[in-house]
Amino acid sequence: MERIAIFPGSFDPFTIGHESIVKRALPMFDKIVIMIGNNANKKSFFPIEKKLKWIKQVFRGEDKIEVQTYDGLTVDFCKEVNAKYILRGLRTASDFEYERAIAQVNKKMHPEIESVFLLTLPEHTPVMATIVRDIIFHGGDASMFLPKALDFNEFMADNK
Ligand code: ADP
C-alpha cells in the first residue's frame, strides 16, 4: 500500500522552513500532498491561487509531491486523498503544545491516522510566515526566507 502523507498549512507564504520539512520527509513517503488550507475564519494575506502557483513552482519536476487547496477538516482531506499520515513541523515548545492538542484530538477521532513531526533545522527556527509576510508587506527583501526555486522578483511582481 502506498504511504501517503499530507502536509497541511496556511503557507501564507510558503517559506524555506516549510520547503525543508517537505524535502526531508520525502524519503519517508511514497507521496506527499501539500494541502493549502482555505479557512474562512483565518484570513489569508496572499490569495489562495497564488499560493498554489508558488508551491507548485517550488516542487516542479518532483512527481512524489502534489499541491491542493482544501476548505474542510484536515482529517477529511486525508480520507479524500487516501493519506494515513499528517506531516507537521516543530520549531518551539509553543509549536509543540499547539500540535500536541490537534494531533491528540485527531487521533481520538481517527485512530487510523498518524501525525508525524519533524523538528526544524536550527537555522529555520525563527522563520515564521507571519514575520516574512510583514517584511514583504513593508517592501523589504524577504528572499532569503523564501524557497530558491521561487523567483523573488516575479514573486514580488505577482504581489502588486
Ligand atoms: P498553520 O497555520 O496550519 O500552522 P503554517 O503554514 O504556519 O500553517 O505551518 C504549516 C506547518 O509547517 C506547521 O506544522 C508548522 O509548524 C510548520 N512550520 C512552519 N514554519 C516552519 C519552520 N520554519 N520550520 C519547520 N516547520 C515549520
Side-chain angles (χ1 to χ4, degrees):
M1 204 168 82
E2 261 200 323
R3 277 165 306 146
I4 304 173
I6 66 159
F7 183 50
S10 31
F11 308 125
D12 200 25
F14 194 83
T15 67
I16 49 170
H18 298 128
E19 179 189 28
S20 157
I21 295 289
V22 174
K23 286 193 167 161
R24 287 167 57 207
L26 213 48
M28 296 160 53
F29 301 103
D30 298 308
K31 184 158 106 181
I32 296 179
V33 185
I34 300 174
M35 183 202 106
I36 311 170
N38 195 11
N39 186 337
N41 297 320
K42 207 170 160 187
K43 213 175 153 5
S44 179
F45 180 71
F46 297 105
I48 193 123
E49 5 11 289
K50 293 271 174 73
K51 294 188 204 177
L52 189 66
K53 174 185 154 188
W54 295 329
I55 302 175
K56 280 186 173 170
Q57 194 177 324
V58 171
F59 295 109
R60 196 165 26 209
E62 179 47 79
D63 54 10
K64 283 171 74 180
I65 296 178
E66 264 179 36
V67 194
Q68 294 191 34
T69 64
Y70 195 66
D71 61 9
L73 284 177
T74 303
V75 284
D76 291 336
F77 185 73
C78 282
K79 296 221 174 84
E80 217 164 273
V81 298
N82 207 16
K84 294 275 183 295
Y85 305 93
I86 299 176
L87 173 66
R88 297 285 286 177
L90 292 176
R91 286 163 296 189
T92 58
S94 68
D95 268 2
F96 171 77
E97 278 307 321
Y98 177 71
E99 297 295 340
R100 182 189 55 74
I102 298 177
Q104 289 177 335
V105 167
N106 281 342
K107 190 71 185 159
K108 195 88 191 151
M109 296 194 308
H110 300 274
E112 72 285 6
I113 295 173
E114 287 294 353
S115 295
V116 176
F117 302 97
L118 286 187
L119 274 183
T120 183
L121 296 180
E123 62 270 32
H124 291 159
T125 308
V127 180
M128 299 168 73
T130 341
I131 298 177
V132 174
R133 199 156 67 221
D134 239 29
I135 299 173
I136 294 167
F137 180 73
H138 293 288
D141 181 1
S143 55
M144 71 182 86
F145 306 117
L146 296 168
K148 288 244 175 339
L150 247 184
D151 179 333
F152 189 66
N153 293 327
E154 193 190 315
F155 174 84
M156 289 306 279
D158 255 11
N159 275 319
K160 293 247 163 72

